Amino acid sequence: MRYFLRLGTLGFGGPVRALRTDGTGAGAGEALVSSEEMLESIAVCQSLPEPLAIQVGIFISYLRGGFWGAWAGGWAFILPNFILVPRSGALYVRLGGCRR
């Protein structure tokens, strides 16, 4: 969960890019998923109608932790953006970047 929280906060390109196809995105050679699991995750998630990066992150969390792992991994990936985007918008308006 900590990995997806960091990825949601600092990552660009989401889990698909960060995990790479060899599954070694967690750092120091720690593989979250095998190459086969990663390719299957991408294939399954490409058939679903939502952003691919979030789906792959949730699916990998499901593979590792079941339902509650998927729930925690999904929130850890989404929550930082849910907090940062409105704050960035408010700061933009406050600093005069948006003229009414």
Side-chain angles (χ1 to χ4, degrees), residues 3-4 7 15-16 19-20 23 31-34 37-42 45 53-66 69-70 73:
Y3 173 68
F4 283 109
L7 183 60
V16 176
L19 290 172
R20 299 184 288 276
L32 291 177
V33 293
S34 68
E37 287 176 319
M38 185 63 182
L39 292 175
E40 287 177 7
S41 298
I42 293 171
C45 292
I54 293 170
Q55 290 176 347
V56 172
I58 292 171
F59 190 69
I60 289 171
S61 297
Y62 175 77
L63 292 175
R64 294 294 157 243

Side-chain angles (χ1 to χ4, degrees), residues 21-100:
T21 51
D22 63 357
T24 58
E30 177 186 344
L32 291 177
V33 293
S34 68
S35 295
E36 185 176 314
E37 287 176 319
M38 185 63 182
L39 292 175
E40 287 177 7
S41 298
I42 293 171
V44 167
C45 292
Q46 282 180 330
S47 67
L48 301 172
E50 291 295 324
L52 180 63
I54 293 170
Q55 290 176 347
V56 172
I58 292 171
F59 190 69
I60 289 171
S61 297
Y62 175 77
L63 292 175
R64 294 294 157 243
F67 172 81
W68 292 110
W71 188 86
W75 273 108
F77 187 70
I78 296 168
L79 189 61
N81 292 307
F82 187 75
I83 293 168
L84 290 173
V85 170
R87 287 189 177 184
S88 298
L91 182 63
Y92 179 76
V93 170
R94 188 174 195 197
L95 295 176
C98 182
R99 306 274 184 226
R100 294 182 197 177

